[in-house]
Coordinates of all heavy atoms in Angstrom, one line a residue:
M1 N -8.5 22.3 -2.3 CA -7.9 22.9 -1.1 C -8.6 22.4 0.1 O -8.0 22.1 1.1 CB -8.0 24.4 -1.2 CG -7.5 25.1 0.0 SD -7.0 26.8 -0.3 CE -8.4 27.6 0.3
F2 N -10.0 22.3 0.1 CA -10.7 21.9 1.3 C -11.1 20.4 1.2 O -11.8 19.9 2.0 CB -11.9 22.7 1.5 CG -11.6 24.1 1.7 CD1 -11.8 25.1 0.8 CD2 -11.1 24.5 3.0 CE1 -11.5 26.4 1.1 CE2 -10.8 25.8 3.3 CZ -11.0 26.8 2.3
G3 N -10.7 19.7 0.1 CA -11.0 18.3 0.0 C -12.3 18.0 -0.6 O -12.8 16.8 -0.7
F4 N -13.0 19.0 -1.1 CA -14.3 18.8 -1.8 C -14.0 18.0 -3.1 O -13.1 18.2 -3.8 CB -14.9 20.1 -2.2 CG -15.3 20.9 -1.0 CD1 -14.8 22.2 -0.8 CD2 -16.1 20.4 0.0 CE1 -15.2 23.0 0.3 CE2 -16.5 21.2 1.1 CZ -16.0 22.4 1.3
G5 N -14.9 17.0 -3.3 CA -14.8 16.2 -4.6 C -13.8 15.1 -4.4 O -13.6 14.3 -5.4
K6 N -13.2 14.9 -3.3 CA -12.3 13.8 -3.1 C -13.1 12.5 -2.9 O -14.1 12.5 -2.3 CB -11.3 14.0 -1.9 CG -10.3 15.0 -2.2 CD -9.1 14.8 -1.3 CE -8.0 15.8 -1.7 NZ -6.7 15.3 -1.5
K7 N -12.6 11.5 -3.5 CA -13.3 10.2 -3.4 C -13.0 9.6 -2.0 O -11.9 9.8 -1.5 CB -12.7 9.2 -4.5 CG -13.1 9.6 -5.9 CD -12.5 8.6 -6.9 CE -12.8 9.0 -8.3 NZ -12.3 8.0 -9.2
I8 N -14.0 8.9 -1.5 CA -13.9 8.2 -0.2 C -13.3 6.8 -0.5 O -13.7 6.1 -1.4 CB -15.2 8.1 0.4 CG1 -15.9 9.5 0.7 CG2 -15.2 7.3 1.7 CD1 -15.1 10.4 1.7
V9 N -12.4 6.4 0.3 CA -11.8 5.1 0.1 C -12.5 4.2 1.1 O -12.2 4.2 2.3 CB -10.3 5.1 0.4 CG1 -9.7 3.7 0.3 CG2 -9.6 6.1 -0.5
D10 N -13.4 3.3 0.6 CA -14.1 2.4 1.4 C -13.6 1.0 1.2 O -14.0 0.4 0.1 CB -15.6 2.5 1.2 CG -16.4 1.6 2.1 OD1 -15.8 0.8 2.9 OD2 -17.7 1.6 2.0
L11 N -12.7 0.5 2.0 CA -12.1 -0.8 1.8 C -13.0 -2.0 1.8 O -12.7 -3.1 1.3 CB -10.9 -1.0 2.7 CG -9.8 0.0 2.6 CD1 -8.8 -0.1 3.7 CD2 -9.1 -0.2 1.2
D12 N -14.2 -1.8 2.4 CA -15.2 -2.9 2.5 C -16.1 -2.9 1.3 O -17.0 -3.8 1.2 CB -15.9 -2.7 3.8 CG -15.0 -2.8 5.0 OD1 -14.1 -3.7 4.9 OD2 -15.2 -2.1 6.0
Q13 N -16.0 -2.0 0.4 CA -16.9 -1.9 -0.7 C -16.4 -2.6 -1.9 O -15.2 -2.4 -2.3 CB -17.2 -0.4 -1.1 CG -18.2 -0.3 -2.2 CD -18.5 1.2 -2.4 OE1 -18.0 2.1 -1.8 NE2 -19.3 1.5 -3.4
D14 N -17.1 -3.4 -2.6 CA -16.7 -4.1 -3.8 C -15.5 -4.9 -3.7 O -14.7 -5.0 -4.7 CB -16.7 -3.1 -5.0 CG -18.0 -2.4 -5.3 OD1 -19.0 -3.0 -5.1 OD2 -17.9 -1.2 -5.6
G15 N -15.2 -5.5 -2.5 CA -14.0 -6.3 -2.4 C -12.7 -5.5 -2.6 O -11.7 -6.1 -2.9
L16 N -12.7 -4.2 -2.3 CA -11.5 -3.4 -2.6 C -10.3 -3.9 -1.7 O -9.2 -4.0 -2.3 CB -11.8 -2.0 -2.3 CG -10.6 -1.0 -2.5 CD1 -10.1 -1.1 -3.9 CD2 -11.1 0.5 -2.2
R17 N -10.5 -4.2 -0.5 CA -9.4 -4.6 0.4 C -8.7 -5.9 -0.2 O -7.5 -5.9 -0.4 CB -9.9 -4.9 1.8 CG -8.8 -5.3 2.7 CD -9.3 -5.7 4.1 NE -10.0 -4.6 4.7 CZ -9.5 -3.6 5.4 NH1 -8.1 -3.5 5.6 NH2 -10.2 -2.6 5.9
Q18 N -9.5 -6.9 -0.7 CA -9.0 -8.1 -1.2 C -8.3 -7.8 -2.5 O -7.2 -8.4 -2.8 CB -10.1 -9.2 -1.3 CG -9.5 -10.5 -1.6 CD -8.5 -11.0 -0.6 OE1 -8.8 -11.0 0.6 NE2 -7.3 -11.4 -1.1
R19 N -8.9 -7.0 -3.3 CA -8.2 -6.7 -4.7 C -6.9 -6.0 -4.4 O -5.9 -6.3 -5.2 CB -9.2 -5.8 -5.5 CG -10.4 -6.5 -6.0 CD -11.2 -5.7 -7.0 NE -11.9 -4.6 -6.3 CZ -11.9 -3.4 -6.9 NH1 -11.3 -3.1 -8.0 NH2 -12.5 -2.4 -6.2
L20 N -6.8 -5.1 -3.4 CA -5.5 -4.5 -3.1 C -4.5 -5.6 -2.6 O -3.4 -5.6 -3.1 CB -5.7 -3.4 -2.0 CG -6.3 -2.1 -2.6 CD1 -6.8 -1.3 -1.4 CD2 -5.3 -1.4 -3.4
L21 N -5.0 -6.4 -1.7 CA -4.0 -7.4 -1.2 C -3.6 -8.4 -2.3 O -2.4 -8.8 -2.3 CB -4.7 -8.2 -0.1 CG -5.0 -7.5 1.2 CD1 -5.8 -8.3 2.2 CD2 -3.7 -7.0 1.9
D22 N -4.5 -8.7 -3.2 CA -4.1 -9.6 -4.3 C -3.1 -8.9 -5.2 O -2.1 -9.5 -5.7 CB -5.3 -9.9 -5.2 CG -6.3 -10.9 -4.5 OD1 -5.9 -11.5 -3.5 OD2 -7.4 -11.0 -4.9
A23 N -3.2 -7.6 -5.4 CA -2.2 -6.9 -6.2 C -0.9 -6.8 -5.5 O 0.2 -7.0 -6.2 CB -2.8 -5.4 -6.5
F24 N -0.9 -6.6 -4.2 CA 0.4 -6.5 -3.5 C 1.1 -7.9 -3.5 O 2.3 -8.0 -3.5 CB 0.2 -6.1 -2.1 CG -0.4 -4.7 -2.0 CD1 -1.3 -4.3 -1.0 CD2 0.0 -3.7 -2.9 CE1 -1.8 -3.0 -0.9 CE2 -0.5 -2.4 -2.8 CZ -1.4 -2.1 -1.8
A25 N 0.2 -9.0 -3.4 CA 0.8 -10.3 -3.4 C 1.6 -10.7 -4.7 O 2.5 -11.5 -4.7 CB -0.3 -11.4 -3.2
K26 N 1.3 -10.0 -5.8 CA 2.0 -10.2 -7.1 C 3.3 -9.5 -7.2 O 4.0 -9.7 -8.1 CB 1.0 -9.9 -8.2 CG -0.2 -10.7 -8.3 CD -1.1 -10.2 -9.4 CE -2.5 -11.0 -9.3 NZ -3.5 -10.5 -10.2
L27 N 3.6 -8.6 -6.3 CA 4.8 -7.8 -6.4 C 6.0 -8.7 -6.1 O 6.0 -9.5 -5.2 CB 4.7 -6.6 -5.5 CG 3.7 -5.6 -5.8 CD1 3.7 -4.5 -4.7 CD2 3.9 -5.0 -7.1
D28 N 7.1 -8.3 -6.8 CA 8.3 -9.1 -6.6 C 9.2 -8.4 -5.5 O 9.5 -7.2 -5.6 CB 9.1 -9.1 -7.9 CG 10.3 -10.0 -7.9 OD1 10.3 -11.0 -7.2 OD2 11.3 -9.6 -8.6
C29 N 9.7 -9.1 -4.6 CA 10.5 -8.6 -3.5 C 11.5 -9.8 -3.1 O 11.4 -10.3 -2.1 CB 9.8 -8.1 -2.3 SG 10.8 -7.2 -1.2
P30 N 12.4 -10.1 -4.1 CA 13.3 -11.3 -3.8 C 14.1 -11.3 -2.6 O 14.6 -12.3 -2.1 CB 14.1 -11.4 -5.1 CG 14.1 -10.0 -5.7 CD 12.8 -9.4 -5.2
H31 N 14.5 -10.1 -2.1 CA 15.4 -10.0 -1.0 C 14.7 -10.2 0.3 O 15.4 -10.4 1.3 CB 16.1 -8.6 -1.0 CG 16.8 -8.3 -2.2 ND1 17.9 -9.0 -2.7 CD2 16.5 -7.4 -3.2 CE1 18.2 -8.4 -3.8 NE2 17.4 -7.5 -4.2
V32 N 13.4 -10.3 0.3 CA 12.6 -10.4 1.5 C 11.8 -11.6 1.6 O 11.9 -12.4 2.6 CB 11.7 -9.1 1.7 CG1 10.9 -9.2 3.0 CG2 12.6 -7.9 1.7
C33 N 10.9 -11.8 0.7 CA 9.9 -12.9 0.7 C 9.3 -13.2 -0.6 O 9.5 -12.4 -1.5 CB 8.8 -12.6 1.7 SG 7.9 -11.1 1.3
A34 N 8.5 -14.2 -0.7 CA 7.9 -14.5 -2.0 C 6.5 -13.8 -2.1 O 6.0 -13.5 -3.2 CB 7.7 -16.0 -2.1
D35 N 5.9 -13.4 -1.0 CA 4.6 -12.8 -1.0 C 4.5 -11.8 0.1 O 4.6 -12.1 1.3 CB 3.6 -14.0 -0.7 CG 2.1 -13.5 -0.7 OD1 1.9 -12.3 -0.5 OD2 1.2 -14.4 -0.9
L36 N 4.3 -10.5 -0.3 CA 4.3 -9.4 0.6 C 3.1 -9.5 1.6 O 3.2 -9.0 2.7 CB 4.3 -8.1 -0.1 CG 5.5 -7.7 -1.0 CD1 5.2 -6.4 -1.7 CD2 6.7 -7.6 -0.1
T37 N 2.0 -10.0 1.1 CA 0.8 -10.0 2.0 C 0.9 -11.1 3.1 O 0.6 -10.8 4.3 CB -0.5 -10.1 1.2 OG1 -0.4 -11.3 0.4 CG2 -0.7 -8.9 0.3
N38 N 1.2 -12.3 2.7 CA 1.3 -13.4 3.6 C 2.5 -13.3 4.6 O 2.4 -13.9 5.7 CB 1.2 -14.7 2.9 CG -0.2 -15.0 2.3 OD1 -1.1 -14.6 2.9 ND2 -0.2 -15.6 1.1
S39 N 3.5 -12.6 4.2 CA 4.7 -12.5 5.1 C 4.6 -11.4 6.1 O 5.4 -11.3 7.0 CB 5.9 -12.2 4.2 OG 5.8 -10.9 3.6
G40 N 3.5 -10.6 6.0 CA 3.3 -9.5 7.0 C 4.0 -8.2 6.6 O 4.0 -7.3 7.4
I41 N 4.6 -8.1 5.4 CA 5.2 -6.9 5.0 C 4.1 -5.8 4.7 O 4.3 -4.7 5.1 CB 6.1 -7.1 3.6 CG1 7.1 -8.1 3.9 CG2 6.6 -5.8 3.2 CD1 8.2 -7.7 4.8
I42 N 3.0 -6.2 4.1 CA 1.9 -5.3 4.0 C 1.1 -5.5 5.3 O 0.6 -6.5 5.7 CB 1.0 -5.7 2.8 CG1 1.7 -5.6 1.5 CG2 -0.3 -4.8 2.8 CD1 2.2 -4.2 1.1
G43 N 1.0 -4.4 6.1 CA 0.3 -4.4 7.3 C -1.1 -3.9 7.1 O -1.8 -4.3 6.3
D44 N -1.5 -2.9 7.9 CA -2.8 -2.4 7.9 C -3.1 -1.5 6.6 O -2.2 -0.9 6.1 CB -3.0 -1.4 9.1 CG -4.4 -0.9 9.3 OD1 -5.3 -1.7 9.0 OD2 -4.6 0.2 9.6
L45 N -4.3 -1.6 6.1 CA -4.8 -0.8 5.0 C -5.9 0.0 5.6 O -6.8 -0.5 6.2 CB -5.3 -1.6 3.8 CG -4.4 -2.6 3.2 CD1 -5.1 -3.4 2.1 CD2 -3.2 -1.9 2.6
R46 N -5.9 1.4 5.3 CA -7.0 2.2 5.8 C -7.3 3.3 4.8 O -6.4 3.9 4.3 CB -6.8 2.6 7.2 CG -5.7 3.6 7.4 CD -5.5 3.9 8.9 NE -4.5 4.9 9.1 CZ -3.2 4.6 9.1 NH1 -2.8 3.4 9.0 NH2 -2.3 5.6 9.3
G47 N -8.5 3.7 4.7 CA -8.9 4.8 3.9 C -8.9 6.0 4.9 O -9.5 5.9 6.0
D48 N -8.4 7.1 4.5 CA -8.3 8.3 5.3 C -8.5 9.6 4.5 O -7.5 10.0 3.8 CB -6.9 8.3 6.0 CG -6.8 9.5 7.0 OD1 -7.8 10.0 7.5 OD2 -5.7 9.8 7.3
K49 N -9.7 10.1 4.5 CA -10.0 11.4 3.9 C -9.5 11.5 2.4 O -8.7 12.3 2.0 CB -9.4 12.6 4.6 CG -9.9 12.7 6.0 CD -9.2 13.8 6.8 CE -9.7 13.8 8.2 NZ -9.0 14.7 9.1
G50 N -10.0 10.6 1.6 CA -9.6 10.6 0.2 C -8.3 10.0 -0.3 O -7.9 10.2 -1.3
K51 N -7.7 9.3 0.7 CA -6.4 8.6 0.4 C -6.4 7.2 1.0 O -7.1 6.9 2.0 CB -5.2 9.4 0.8 CG -5.0 9.5 2.3 CD -3.9 10.4 2.7 CE -3.9 10.6 4.2 NZ -2.9 11.6 4.6
L52 N -5.6 6.4 0.5 CA -5.3 5.1 1.0 C -4.0 5.1 1.7 O -3.0 5.6 1.2 CB -5.3 4.0 -0.1 CG -4.8 2.6 0.3 CD1 -5.9 2.0 1.2 CD2 -4.4 1.7 -0.9
V53 N -4.0 4.6 3.0 CA -2.8 4.5 3.7 C -2.4 3.0 3.8 O -3.2 2.2 4.3 CB -2.9 5.1 5.1 CG1 -1.6 5.0 5.9 CG2 -3.3 6.6 5.1
V54 N -1.2 2.7 3.3 CA -0.7 1.3 3.3 C 0.5 1.3 4.3 O 1.4 2.0 4.2 CB -0.2 0.9 2.0 CG1 0.3 -0.5 2.0 CG2 -1.3 1.1 0.9
E55 N 0.3 0.4 5.3 CA 1.4 0.2 6.3 C 2.4 -0.8 5.7 O 2.0 -2.0 5.3 CB 0.9 -0.3 7.6 CG 1.9 -0.5 8.6 CD 1.4 -1.1 9.9 OE1 0.4 -1.8 9.9 OE2 2.1 -1.0 11.0
L56 N 3.6 -0.5 5.6 CA 4.7 -1.4 5.2 C 5.5 -1.7 6.5 O 6.1 -0.8 7.1 CB 5.6 -0.8 4.2 CG 5.1 -0.7 2.7 CD1 6.2 -0.1 1.9 CD2 4.7 -2.0 2.3
V57 N 5.6 -3.0 6.8 CA 6.5 -3.4 8.0 C 7.7 -4.1 7.4 O 7.6 -5.3 7.1 CB 5.6 -4.3 8.9 CG1 6.5 -4.6 10.1 CG2 4.4 -3.6 9.3
L58 N 8.8 -3.4 7.3 CA 10.0 -4.0 6.8 C 10.8 -4.8 7.8 O 10.8 -4.4 9.0 CB 10.8 -2.9 6.2 CG 10.1 -2.0 5.1 CD1 11.1 -0.9 4.7 CD2 9.7 -2.8 3.9
P59 N 11.5 -5.8 7.4 CA 12.3 -6.6 8.3 C 13.5 -5.8 8.8 O 14.1 -6.1 9.8 CB 12.7 -7.8 7.6 CG 12.6 -7.4 6.1 CD 11.5 -6.4 6.1
T60 N 14.0 -4.8 8.1 CA 15.1 -3.9 8.4 C 15.0 -2.6 7.8 O 14.5 -2.5 6.7 CB 16.5 -4.6 8.0 OG1 17.5 -3.7 8.3 CG2 16.4 -4.9 6.5
P61 N 15.3 -1.5 8.5 CA 15.2 -0.2 7.8 C 16.2 0.0 6.6 O 16.0 0.9 5.8 CB 15.6 0.8 9.0 CG 16.3 0.0 10.0 CD 15.8 -1.5 9.9
A62 N 17.2 -0.8 6.6 CA 18.2 -0.8 5.5 C 17.9 -1.8 4.4 O 18.8 -2.3 3.8 CB 19.6 -0.9 6.1
L63 N 16.7 -2.1 4.2 CA 16.3 -3.1 3.2 C 16.8 -2.7 1.8 O 16.6 -1.6 1.4 CB 14.7 -3.2 3.1 CG 14.2 -4.2 2.1 CD1 14.5 -5.6 2.6 CD2 12.7 -4.0 2.0
K64 N 17.4 -3.7 1.2 CA 18.0 -3.5 -0.2 C 16.8 -3.2 -1.1 O 15.8 -3.9 -1.0 CB 18.7 -4.7 -0.7 CG 19.3 -4.6 -2.0 CD 20.2 -5.8 -2.4 CE 20.8 -5.6 -3.7 NZ 21.6 -6.8 -4.1
D65 N 16.8 -2.3 -2.0 CA 15.8 -1.9 -3.0 C 14.5 -1.4 -2.3 O 13.4 -1.6 -2.8 CB 15.5 -3.1 -3.9 CG 16.7 -3.5 -4.7 OD1 17.5 -2.6 -5.1 OD2 16.8 -4.7 -5.0
K66 N 14.6 -0.8 -1.1 CA 13.5 -0.3 -0.3 C 12.7 0.7 -1.2 O 11.5 0.6 -1.2 CB 13.9 0.3 1.0 CG 12.8 1.0 1.7 CD 13.4 1.7 3.0 CE 12.4 2.6 3.6 NZ 13.0 3.5 4.6
E67 N 13.4 1.6 -1.8 CA 12.7 2.6 -2.6 C 11.9 2.0 -3.8 O 10.8 2.5 -4.1 CB 13.7 3.7 -3.1 CG 14.3 4.6 -2.0 CD 15.4 3.8 -1.3 OE1 16.0 2.8 -1.8 OE2 15.8 4.3 -0.2
Q68 N 12.4 1.0 -4.4 CA 11.8 0.4 -5.5 C 10.5 -0.3 -5.0 O 9.5 -0.3 -5.6 CB 12.7 -0.6 -6.2 CG 12.0 -1.3 -7.4 CD 11.6 -0.3 -8.5 OE1 12.5 0.5 -8.9 NE2 10.4 -0.3 -8.9
L69 N 10.6 -1.0 -3.9 CA 9.5 -1.7 -3.2 C 8.4 -0.7 -3.0 O 7.2 -0.9 -3.3 CB 9.9 -2.4 -2.0 CG 8.8 -3.1 -1.2 CD1 8.1 -4.2 -2.0 CD2 9.3 -3.6 0.1
E70 N 8.7 0.4 -2.4 CA 7.8 1.5 -2.1 C 7.1 2.0 -3.4 O 5.9 2.1 -3.4 CB 8.4 2.7 -1.3 CG 8.9 2.3 0.1 CD 9.7 3.4 0.8 OE1 10.0 4.4 0.1 OE2 9.9 3.2 2.0
R71 N 7.9 2.2 -4.4 CA 7.3 2.7 -5.7 C 6.3 1.6 -6.2 O 5.3 1.9 -6.8 CB 8.3 3.0 -6.7 CG 9.1 4.3 -6.4 CD 10.0 4.8 -7.6 NE 11.0 3.8 -7.9 CZ 12.2 3.8 -7.3 NH1 12.5 4.7 -6.4 NH2 13.1 2.9 -7.6
D72 N 6.7 0.3 -6.1 CA 5.9 -0.8 -6.7 C 4.6 -0.9 -5.9 O 3.5 -1.1 -6.5 CB 6.7 -2.1 -6.6 CG 7.8 -2.1 -7.6 OD1 7.9 -1.3 -8.5 OD2 8.6 -3.1 -7.4
V73 N 4.6 -0.7 -4.6 CA 3.4 -0.8 -3.8 C 2.4 0.3 -4.1 O 1.2 0.1 -4.3 CB 3.7 -0.8 -2.2 CG1 2.5 -0.6 -1.4 CG2 4.4 -2.1 -1.8
V74 N 3.0 1.6 -4.3 CA 2.1 2.7 -4.6 C 1.5 2.5 -6.0 O 0.3 2.7 -6.2 CB 2.9 4.0 -4.6 CG1 2.1 5.1 -5.2 CG2 3.3 4.3 -3.1
A75 N 2.3 2.0 -7.0 CA 1.8 1.8 -8.3 C 0.7 0.7 -8.4 O -0.2 0.8 -9.1 CB 3.0 1.4 -9.3
A76 N 0.9 -0.4 -7.6 CA 0.0 -1.5 -7.6 C -1.3 -0.9 -7.0 O -2.4 -1.3 -7.5 CB 0.5 -2.6 -6.7
A77 N -1.2 -0.1 -5.9 CA -2.5 0.4 -5.3 C -3.2 1.3 -6.3 O -4.4 1.3 -6.4 CB -2.1 1.1 -4.0
K78 N -2.5 2.2 -6.9 CA -3.1 3.1 -7.9 C -3.7 2.4 -9.1 O -4.7 2.8 -9.6 CB -2.1 4.2 -8.4 CG -1.8 5.2 -7.3 CD -0.9 6.3 -7.8 CE -0.7 7.3 -6.7 NZ -0.7 8.6 -7.1
A79 N -3.1 1.3 -9.5 CA -3.7 0.5 -10.5 C -5.1 -0.1 -10.1 O -6.0 -0.2 -11.0 CB -2.8 -0.6 -10.9
V80 N -5.2 -0.4 -8.9 CA -6.5 -0.9 -8.4 C -7.5 0.2 -8.1 O -8.7 0.1 -8.5 CB -6.3 -1.8 -7.1 CG1 -7.6 -2.1 -6.5 CG2 -5.5 -3.0 -7.4
L81 N -7.0 1.3 -7.5 CA -7.9 2.4 -7.1 C -8.3 3.3 -8.3 O -9.4 3.9 -8.2 CB -7.2 3.3 -6.1 CG -6.9 2.6 -4.7 CD1 -5.9 3.5 -4.0 CD2 -8.1 2.3 -4.0
G82 N -7.5 3.4 -9.3 CA -7.8 4.3 -10.3 C -7.4 5.8 -10.0 O -6.7 6.0 -9.0
E83 N -7.8 6.7 -10.8 CA -7.4 8.1 -10.6 C -8.1 8.8 -9.5 O -9.3 8.4 -9.2 CB -7.7 8.9 -11.9 CG -6.9 8.4 -13.1 CD -5.4 8.7 -12.9 OE1 -5.0 9.7 -12.4 OE2 -4.6 7.8 -13.2
G84 N -7.6 9.8 -8.9 CA -8.2 10.6 -7.9 C -8.1 10.1 -6.5 O -8.6 10.8 -5.6
I85 N -7.3 9.1 -6.3 CA -7.0 8.6 -4.9 C -5.5 8.6 -4.7 O -4.8 8.1 -5.4 CB -7.5 7.1 -4.7 CG1 -9.0 7.0 -5.0 CG2 -7.2 6.7 -3.3 CD1 -9.9 7.6 -4.0
D86 N -5.1 9.3 -3.6 CA -3.7 9.4 -3.3 C -3.4 8.1 -2.4 O -4.2 7.6 -1.7 CB -3.4 10.6 -2.4 CG -3.5 11.9 -3.2 OD1 -3.3 11.9 -4.5 OD2 -4.0 12.9 -2.7
V87 N -2.1 7.7 -2.5 CA -1.7 6.6 -1.7 C -0.5 7.1 -0.9 O 0.5 7.7 -1.4 CB -1.1 5.4 -2.6 CG1 -0.6 4.3 -1.8 CG2 -2.3 5.0 -3.6
E88 N -0.6 6.8 0.4 CA 0.5 7.2 1.4 C 1.0 5.9 2.0 O 0.2 5.0 2.4 CB -0.2 8.1 2.4 CG 0.8 8.5 3.5 CD 0.1 9.4 4.5 OE1 -0.5 10.4 4.2 OE2 0.2 9.1 5.7
L89 N 2.3 5.8 2.2 CA 2.9 4.7 2.9 C 3.3 5.1 4.3 O 3.8 6.1 4.5 CB 4.2 4.3 2.1 CG 3.9 3.8 0.7 CD1 5.3 3.4 0.1 CD2 3.0 2.7 0.6
A90 N 3.0 4.2 5.2 CA 3.4 4.3 6.6 C 4.4 3.2 6.8 O 4.1 2.1 7.0 CB 2.3 4.2 7.6
V91 N 5.7 3.6 6.8 CA 6.8 2.6 6.8 C 7.4 2.5 8.1 O 7.7 3.5 8.8 CB 7.9 2.9 5.7 CG1 9.0 1.9 5.7 CG2 7.3 3.1 4.3
S92 N 7.5 1.2 8.6 CA 8.2 0.9 9.8 C 9.0 -0.3 9.7 O 9.0 -1.0 8.6 CB 7.2 0.8 11.0 OG 6.4 -0.4 10.7
S93 N 9.9 -0.6 10.7 CA 10.7 -1.7 10.6 C 10.5 -2.6 11.8 O 10.2 -2.2 12.9 CB 12.2 -1.4 10.6 OG 12.5 -0.5 9.5
N94 N 10.5 -3.9 11.6 CA 10.3 -4.9 12.7 C 11.6 -5.6 12.9 O 11.9 -6.7 12.4 CB 9.2 -5.9 12.2 CG 8.8 -6.8 13.3 OD1 9.1 -6.6 14.5 ND2 8.1 -7.9 13.0
V95 N 12.5 -4.9 13.7 CA 13.8 -5.5 13.9 C 14.0 -6.0 15.3 O 13.2 -5.7 16.2 CB 14.9 -4.5 13.7 CG1 15.1 -4.2 12.2 CG2 14.7 -3.1 14.4

């Protein structure tokens, strides 16, 4: 309830930021680009009180398969982070 025992997300520790970016780069998004990280779809990553916040910058708010992309990004992040860390998406569009 008060956040006791929550893990701190330190993106600069143990290459965590790069491991997350590498995981996101492997995701399939054929309607947008070949690589989510180099294309700018994955924006800022930040740790915030026991959770990871991933900024997604979509080329259009009506992106085909947007919900699947969001689920894939969360799953990739959780695979790197392990249990006990929540993942939140901050989704915007660059139109």
Side-chain angles (χ1 to χ4, degrees):
M1 177 160 97
F2 295 105
F4 297 122
K6 288 207 176 209
K7 295 181 181 179
I8 301 296
V9 179
D10 183 355
L11 294 169
D12 298 321
Q13 183 178 0
D14 298 327
L16 180 57
R17 181 181 305 275
Q18 190 58 51
R19 289 187 294 135
L20 286 163
L21 292 173
D22 290 346
F24 297 145
K26 295 175 185 172
L27 295 178
D28 186 33
C29 191
H31 305 294
V32 179
C33 61
D35 181 341
L36 295 177
T37 56
N38 289 324
S39 67
I41 301 293
I42 299 292
D44 187 38
L45 302 176
R46 66 184 183 280
D48 183 24
K49 299 178 184 171
K51 68 182 172 192
L52 172 71
V53 180
V54 179
E55 180 186 23
L56 285 181
V57 184
L58 304 177
T60 175
L63 179 69
K64 183 176 181 181
D65 298 327
K66 173 184 167 190
E67 292 81 15
Q68 183 62 50
L69 174 63
E70 291 174 352
R71 285 191 299 272
D72 291 348
V73 168
V74 169
K78 287 186 176 219
V80 171
L81 295 169
E83 295 297 317
I85 303 289
D86 292 327
V87 178
E88 179 181 304
L89 300 178
V91 182
S92 63
S93 299
N94 189 14
V95 286

